[in-house]
Amino acid sequence: MTLPAPDHLSHNNTPAGRPRSAAARVALAVCAVLAFAGFFALGTWQVERRAWKLDLIARVDQRVHAPAAEPPARAAWPQVNAADDEYRHVRVTGTFLHDKETLTQASTRLGAGFWVLTPLRSADGTVVLINRGFVPPEARERTSRAATEAKGEVAVAGLLRITEPKGGFLRKNDPAADRWFSRDVQAIAAARGLDNAAPYFVDAEADPSLSPETADYPVRGLTVIAFPNSHLVYALTWYGLALMVLGGAWFVWRDGQRRARRASGGSGENAAHADTHPRPDARRD
């Protein structure tokens, strides 16, 4: 009769203490390396993005506070872009074409309403759309603000803005119905029959002697210049995840070492017991 060996004599380890196979260890190591590399790369990318954003903010701030200069000439229009030109402080001279103004939907700190975009024709025949400011719904009709329409040649200072094609979020411009959700310069120029229109518009700057709350409509100077800059938080998050991967890898390695020591010690102990304790059913001569 053969009796089962006591638990402390068993040659088999429990699943919780069994050493991992070489294939499992390699797979875990590869996953850890890939995860660490991915998180670290994302963190580094966010650091680079933060440096780019800070440089952009500095350049825009310099443009906004620079003296007003001539806008890009017609020959330079194909090269106009947001990175190099947006928010440049410019001054344009010409005559307003008030009968060709366009209202585009706006949401400002004064509430919801419209931007009043009026073409300004220069002496050389070129046209620049001027954002003359904000009006609430009750002031959308020209007749309600005719007294504020400048006549004759004027000079307008403001910030150069890049066209906003197609429309707003989930809302497409409808030129046929004269519904505009964005300041799409090309589409507005085509709808109003404007030739030689610049590929940008200008946000007219506010009269420093007036506050937006007391100024006549349209209210100028409501341009919002804001660049979200959460890249440092994102970078710390990705680097933190990379450190967590390192911590997890160290924990798994330490657990593997413990399993290996336990397996090695258990095998030796079991072997010693097997030599000194004969099996109960062993036959004696």
Side-chain angles (χ1 to χ4, degrees):
M1 178 178 178
T2 302
L3 298 178
D7 291 341
H8 69 279
L9 298 179
S10 176
H11 289 278
N12 295 325
N13 294 302
T14 63
R18 183 178 301 142
R20 296 182 178 86
S21 66
R25 292 197 299 271
V26 170
L28 288 173
V30 170
C31 289
V33 169
L34 291 177
F36 176 81
F39 291 143
F40 188 84
L42 287 171
T44 302
W45 176 62
Q46 288 297 332
V47 170
E48 294 172 351
R49 289 280 296 171
R50 180 175 182 271
W52 170 82
K53 184 64 69 64
L54 292 175
D55 178 66
L56 173 63
I57 293 172
R59 285 188 285 115
V60 168
D61 186 68
Q62 183 180 21
R63 294 174 194 168
V64 169
H65 295 96
E70 292 293 322
R74 183 173 181 177
W77 287 354
Q79 287 76 45
V80 172
N81 62 85
D84 298 324
D85 300 294
E86 189 155 32
Y87 300 111
R88 286 174 56 180
H89 193 195
V90 298
R91 182 182 297 275
V92 291
T93 304
T95 303
F96 278 120
L97 307 178
H98 291 290
D99 60 323
K100 296 183 181 296
E101 77 172 21
T102 300
L103 300 182
T104 66
Q105 288 202 356
S107 179
T108 73
R109 61 187 179 89
L110 299 181
F114 303 91
W115 298 119
V116 179
L117 269 67
T118 307
L120 183 74
R121 187 180 297 281
S122 300
D124 62 359
T126 59
V127 173
V128 176
L129 287 183
I130 304 297
N131 179 9
R132 294 175 52 228
F134 167 83
V135 294
E138 60 270 21
R140 65 178 299 169
E141 298 298 330
R142 282 187 59 203
T143 55
S144 66
R145 44 186 167 79
T148 66
E149 294 182 352
K151 304 297 191 294
E153 187 172 86
V154 296
V156 179
L159 301 179
L160 185 150
R161 303 294 307 280
I162 302 300
T163 183
E164 301 166 347
K166 297 183 180 180
F169 180 68
L170 298 179
R171 296 181 298 180
K172 187 177 180 180
N173 291 329
D174 186 358
D178 202 26
R179 291 176 58 86
W180 303 93
F181 300 101
S182 71
R183 293 163 289 192
D184 187 337
V185 173
Q186 286 79 7
I188 292 174
R192 295 294 182 263
L194 300 171
D195 297 325
N196 300 323
Y200 52 82
F201 63 95
V202 174
D203 279 347
E205 64 185 17
D207 184 341
S209 64
L210 300 174
S211 68
E213 289 74 14
T214 60
D216 293 328
Y217 294 126
V219 180
R220 299 178 294 173
L222 295 180
T223 305
V224 175
I225 304 175
F227 298 97
N229 186 16
S230 301
H231 299 294
L232 180 59
V233 174
Y234 298 150
L236 292 176
T237 300
W238 291 123
Y239 284 143
L241 291 172
L243 289 176
M244 289 177 62
V245 170
L246 282 182
W250 177 82
F251 177 82
V252 171
W253 174 84
R254 187 183 66 172
D255 183 64
Q257 295 295 103
R258 178 178 57 79
R259 290 169 180 261
R261 287 195 299 269
R262 180 179 298 175
S264 176
S267 297
E269 183 180 345
N270 289 342
H273 281 294
D275 290 341
T276 58
H277 293 79
R279 295 176 61 181
D281 63 342
R283 301 179 62 180
R284 299 177 181 273
D285 292 337

